Amino acid sequence: MIITGVSSGIGRAISAEALRLGWYVEGIGRNAPALLTEHPRGSFTTCDLSDRTALSGLRLAEDQSYELTVLVNNAGTLGPVKPGKNASWEEIDHCITLNTSSAMLLSAKFLAEISGEKQLYFTGSGAAEFAIEGWSAYCASKAAVHMYASVLAKEHPELRIHAFRPGKVNTPMQAEIRATTEEDFPGVAHFVEEFESGSLVLPETVATSLLHAIDRKDEIPVIFSTSNYTV
Ligand SMILES: NC(=O)c1ccc[n+]([C@@H]2O[C@H](COP(=O)([O-])OP(=O)(O)OC[C@H]3O[C@@H](n4cnc5c(N)ncnc54)[C@H](OP(=O)(O)O)[C@@H]3O)[C@@H](O)[C@H]2O)c1
């Protein structure tokens, strides 16, 4: 299984669960977690996924444990949190490149270079469907990811290709959200309340739900939420 963004949060939890279930896990990102580098079935490739040249040179390894190989496009950034009119070219470009373009390019490589049965997943977001003031680049980047997954799923009806919405998950990205100002993000108080009331989803819950979904043979919707998806 190939997973991007494995050093923390959701990607780290998916890696841990996949290793626990016996998968070979190849992580891709900027920082190598000991979880993968010190595990006999783990490996890691250093790549800044916002760097087009680095990404183009990546070679994808086929999974050695199962007959099918899985790619989880998970790496992401919250991007600029501020009114859309104040976001710079660099901020917008970085967010769209990392969240959207790199996932598309990696998926294209995966489909072209990996033979046999495969599954393709994207960590999407509810922000793809709900306009959140202050998150213009992030919402746009994830909406594009959801649509990209839907198009690929149509182009490859024989493969399982899904973007999933994990809900609000207790990761460093949520801490970053809580640290924003009300001026830049009018909804910040709600995110603080949800954190303080303990209602955030655990990354481990997302990981368990996704691994169950990967193993399931029956159909699941193209877009599903692992926070309310019963497995
Ligand atoms: N937390 C939530 O509530 C929530 C909700 C919906 C969707 N999501 C999505 O879930 C995914 C994971 O986020 P998270 O919440 O787990 O946040 P996180 O803990 O901040 O994880 C982000 C991951 O992305 C990697 N990353 C960041 N910049 C990168 C770059 N330039 N190149 C390669 N990798 C990079 C980071 O690794 P390195 O820094 O080591 O490179 C890190 O492992 C994201 O796509 C996010 O949009 C999160």
Side-chain angles (χ1 to χ4, degrees):
M1 185 177 306
I2 303 164
I3 308 168
T4 66
V6 289
S7 62
S8 66
I10 295 169
R12 184 186 167 78
I14 295 170
S15 303
E17 180 66 1
L19 287 173
R20 192 183 73 77
L21 293 174
W23 290 83
Y24 280 79
V25 177
E26 157 99 18
I28 300 174
R30 293 174 303 180
N31 298 293
L35 171 75
L36 290 181
T37 55
E38 293 174 6
H39 196 285
R41 279 182 281 102
S43 60
F44 183 81
T45 301
T46 304
C47 182
D48 181 340
L49 291 168
S50 67
D51 178 344
R52 193 179 129 190
T53 310
L55 180 53
S56 303
L58 260 188
R59 289 207 60 77
L60 302 178
E62 297 201 35
D63 192 275
Q64 303 166 56
S65 64
Y66 283 42
E67 282 182 4
L68 70 88
T69 294
V70 177
L71 169 63
V72 184
N73 285 291
N74 169 76
T77 178
L78 183 58
V81 176
K82 55 176 69 170
K85 66 180 168 60
N86 296 337
S88 69
W89 163 263
E90 287 75 16
E91 290 169 330
I92 295 168
D93 186 44
H94 180 261
C95 181
I96 301 289
T97 300
L98 178 60
N99 290 2
T100 312
S101 309
S102 80
M104 292 170 68
L105 185 57
L106 199 60
S107 300
K109 282 171 86 72
F110 178 74
L111 290 171
E113 294 175 13
I114 303 290
S115 56
E117 199 186 336
K118 40 193 178 266
Q119 297 186 23
L120 184 44
Y121 294 88
F122 299 82
T123 308
S125 174
E129 290 153 42
F130 308 107
I132 301 173
E133 283 175 85
W135 294 19
S136 54
Y138 184 80
C139 289
S141 72
K142 291 295 184 180
V145 163
H146 282 213
M147 182 52 80
Y148 180 68
S150 299
V151 172
L152 280 193
K154 214 168 191 175
E155 289 176 354
H156 298 274
E158 75 286 6
L159 303 181
R160 289 162 67 84
I161 300 178
H162 302 286
F164 62 93
R165 293 176 297 153
K168 294 193 186 81
V169 192
N170 195 4
T171 70
M173 187 178 281
Q174 281 289 328
E176 194 185 336
I177 294 167
R178 292 193 299 276
T180 60
T181 64
E182 206 169 329
E183 194 184 357
D184 285 332
F185 173 33
V188 63
H190 179 62
F191 278 69
V192 172
E193 273 165 35
E194 286 200 303
F195 171 70
E196 289 176 351
S197 67
S199 57
L200 295 189
V201 178
L202 293 175
E204 291 75 19
T205 306
V206 178
T208 309
S209 301
L210 180 65
L211 266 297
H212 274 251
I214 288 169
D215 281 340
R216 279 168 76 115
K217 298 279 179 273
D218 55 327
E219 283 305 306
I220 54 175
V222 170
I223 306 294
F224 70 96
S225 173
T226 52
S227 56
N228 58 18
Y229 177 64
T230 48
V231 287

